[in-house]
Amino acid sequence: MDMAAATLRKRPLSVHTAVSNGNGNGFGVGHGAQEQGEPVSPSARLLEDFYIVVVIGIATPVNLPAARAGIEAQLIRYHPRFRSIQVKDASGNMRWVPTTVDLDYHIIYPNLDDVAVARDPDRAVEDYVATLSTRPMDKSRPLWEFHMLDFPTSEAAATTAFRAAGHAVAADAHGRHLGKAAPPASAGAVALAAWVWSFVLLTWHTVVDVASFFATILFLRDPRTLFERANQEPGQKKRLVHRALSLDDVNFVKNAMNCTVNDVLVGVTYAALSRYYFRKTGDADTSKEIRVRSILLVNLRPTTSLQACVNLIESGKESDVKWGNELGFIILPFHIGLHDDDPLQYVRKAKKIVDRKKSSLEVVFTHLASEVILKIFGLKAAGAIFHRMISHTTISFSNMIGPVEQVEFCGHPVVFIAPSGYGPPEALTVNFQSYVNTMMVNLAVDEAQFPDSHELLDDFVESLRLIRGSA
């Protein structure tokens, strides 16, 4: 970071509140919720130590005036989280409060070593992004930044690294179907019996998953493998790496096996972790199968299009826009084993497990349980329980649908999008993001534990190639 940016960060932020309680960060009694600011949701409070990092490759050098104008006109105007901070009210509850935004704090031009950039620009970007996981963010201002890395790499003409606190980002997610509608009377007894049986399975699977959820918090933990985090000290540097896969190949497997894209990606992850495990351990017992688990975050908030939110804001109905996440958790089993004779077995297992998880209200229960625990025991206890649950599993996993056509970042054509993050106590986070005809696999790894993270990316590429060939 250059000296100018460092100097700019020392400026104080002015906080606009309805009424001050004497320290500039409080509220007077008797004012409505609208004046006091929107309450911080339980999901947001649990994600206070989680950070999202999105590496964006652009096709042109950075046009700073255009970038500033675009961020101000779009991001700050239409997303209140990016112009707000969290403040305690007189009752001790956290609320989102509007504040002044100075873009000089949030748009950063780092001063990198010219020799290192010239020698290996790809590595220079990767090294810089890795340092973000060790740099705290100033909570007296909105928790987001754009880091402009204005030099060409093998992937793009320039790179932008966007960092934001997880609780400040309202990510859309597909809604979940929580039960099938009853069939019409004309459908007959067989259809009615099938509908009743589906609810019997839903109830049973939910009971089993809820029991597993509590067991994971109390005592149930994954077997020790090389994927388990070795160093439990907080603040470990995370290296964020990515690799492009062919979305056409993923869709080919999906169509050939009559499954979903998510089934294919889970299967490819099974295969990649298996290849990496047996190569690194030298384990000759190829009949062995190890079961570890991942935490999959699911947003229960109904999906709303960005344009719908913009229309409400421009019509003066900003209070009608629903921001924030309503998060639940799914504990998704991952199987490590070798199926070189039939690579499609990875996808079959993935489909079976994912289908089973769809027939459960686990995510609804975990969402409600999180809110109840936070309300009764407070943030510190809820955070400790949440951390314990995650530390008893091995991996964080997610899959997001991206734009199907090329988009722009403030007038800059986007070449690739690589979202990831840091904060969870696992040593490995796997995220997939589609964009146009590419499926990007993004890994966030404990740098000390996975110094060969690019070899693990190679395993994802090879696993998809083998599965596609078998299909």
Side-chain angles (χ1 to χ4, degrees):
M1 185 187 310
D2 57 27
M3 291 302 294
T7 301
L8 285 169
R9 284 177 175 269
K10 295 179 181 178
R11 298 177 182 172
L13 280 176
S14 57
V15 180
H16 300 299
T17 60
V19 177
S20 173
N21 65 358
N23 59 14
N25 290 333
F27 303 92
V29 178
H31 289 260
Q34 185 66 27
E35 289 180 285
Q36 295 184 351
E38 182 184 351
V40 177
S41 69
S43 294
R45 299 196 69 187
L46 284 176
L47 294 180
E48 284 186 353
D49 295 326
F50 287 54
Y51 292 85
I52 295 168
V53 178
V54 184
V55 179
I56 305 170
I58 56 179
T60 62
V62 177
N63 181 333
L64 184 57
R68 289 177 64 97
I71 292 169
E72 186 172 18
Q74 300 296 324
L75 188 66
I76 299 175
R77 180 182 179 188
Y78 294 121
H79 202 314
R81 294 291 184 270
F82 287 84
R83 58 176 190 269
S84 302
I85 61 173
Q86 290 187 8
V87 176
K88 279 187 179 181
D89 63 17
S91 301
N93 299 315
M94 300 298 294
R95 292 184 177 274
W96 291 105
V97 177
T99 185
T100 300
V101 177
D102 185 342
L103 286 181
D104 289 329
Y105 285 105
H106 300 275
I107 300 178
I108 300 166
Y109 260 84
N111 185 20
L112 302 185
D113 184 352
D114 292 337
V115 175
V117 170
R119 182 173 60 248
D120 191 342
D122 290 16
R123 182 73 182 192
V125 170
E126 184 183 308
D127 287 345
Y128 178 78
V129 173
T131 66
L132 297 181
S133 66
T134 64
R135 299 181 183 180
M137 298 187 76
D138 182 359
K139 293 185 178 181
S140 69
R141 59 187 177 89
L143 297 178
W144 59 272
E145 301 166 339
F146 282 96
H147 299 256
M148 305 297 187
L149 303 170
D150 196 9
F151 52 85
T153 66
S154 64
E155 297 180 288
T159 306
T160 294
F162 169 71
R163 176 170 69 151
H167 65 273
V169 178
D172 284 322
H174 294 286
R176 287 177 57 87
H177 299 287
L178 303 181
K180 298 179 181 179
S186 59
V190 174
L192 179 60
W195 176 70
V196 172
W197 179 243
S198 71
F199 272 90
V200 172
L201 287 179
L202 183 71
T203 302
W204 172 246
H205 290 160
T206 302
V207 170
V208 172
D209 290 339
V210 168
S212 176
F213 170 75
F214 281 115
T216 300
I217 293 174
L218 296 173
F219 62 87
L220 184 62
R221 63 181 305 146
D222 287 352
R224 296 189 179 278
T225 66
L226 56 80
F227 299 110
E228 183 184 33
R229 186 168 181 176
N231 190 337
Q232 297 295 332
E233 293 296 322
Q236 294 298 305
K237 180 185 287 189
K238 286 292 184 74
R239 183 162 291 272
L240 312 181
V241 296
H242 61 265
R243 187 74 58 82
L245 306 177
S246 169
L247 184 56
D248 289 338
D249 285 350
V250 173
N251 283 324
F252 181 89
V253 177
K254 178 201 76 170
N255 295 330
M257 299 194 67
N258 191 28
C259 62
T260 67
V261 167
N262 190 62
D263 296 335
V264 177
L265 297 179
V266 174
V268 168
T269 305
Y270 287 0
L273 298 184
S274 298
R275 290 176 57 85
Y276 184 87
Y277 174 84
F278 281 95
R279 183 177 68 253
K280 288 297 179 182
T281 62
D283 194 334
D285 185 3
T286 57
S287 64
K288 176 187 294 184
E289 184 166 281
I290 304 170
R291 180 179 177 272
V292 298
R293 296 171 300 164
S294 71
I295 291 291
L296 177 64
L297 292 179
V298 178
N299 190 2
L300 294 173
R301 189 191 67 180
T303 303
T304 304
S305 71
L306 176 61
Q307 188 58 49
C309 296
V310 170
N311 293 340
L312 286 171
I313 293 171
E314 291 185 339
S315 64
K317 299 179 179 179
E318 183 172 340
S319 60
D320 292 340
V321 180
K322 299 297 184 182
W323 301 102
N325 299 310
E326 297 179 1
L327 297 178
F329 319 101
I330 292 176
I331 300 177
L332 187 67
F334 271 48
H335 293 276
I336 297 173
L338 288 181
H339 301 290
D340 291 342
D341 55 333
D342 184 13
L344 296 182
Q345 187 65 13
Y346 293 113
V347 181
R348 294 190 192 101
K349 286 188 175 183
K351 175 176 171 52
K352 182 178 180 180
I353 290 172
V354 173
D355 285 348
R356 154 68 180 79
K357 285 293 182 178
K358 290 177 182 177
S359 179
S360 171
L361 297 180
E362 175 185 13
V363 66
V364 177
F365 176 85
T366 54
H367 167 68
L368 295 176
S370 299
E371 293 200 330
V372 171
I373 291 171
L374 183 60
K375 183 174 294 186
I376 295 176
F377 299 104
L379 179 61
K380 187 174 182 179
I385 293 172
F386 183 53
H387 184 279
R388 182 178 176 86
M389 180 186 68
I390 294 180
S391 63
H392 282 185
T393 59
T394 302
I395 305 165
S396 286
F397 180 87
S398 65
N399 169 32
M400 295 183 290
I401 300 173
V404 297
E405 297 179 349
Q406 188 179 58
V407 297
E408 291 187 345
F409 163 66
C410 302
H412 303 75
V414 172
V415 178
F416 70 85
I417 306 172
S420 191
Y422 62 92
E426 293 104 339
L428 173 63
T429 298
V430 180
N431 169 264
F432 288 96
Q433 167 80 55
S434 64
Y435 178 58
V436 192
N437 61 350
T438 298
M439 180 64 71
M440 191 73 78
V441 54
N442 310 282
L443 305 179
V445 302
D446 188 310
E447 186 175 54
Q449 192 165 335
F450 292 92
D452 52 358
S453 53
H454 287 273
E455 289 186 21
L456 182 52
L457 286 175
D458 293 339
D459 289 323
F460 278 86
V461 174
E462 181 65 9
S463 295
L464 177 59
R465 186 189 71 81
L466 293 173
I467 289 173
R468 199 270 186 211
S470 296

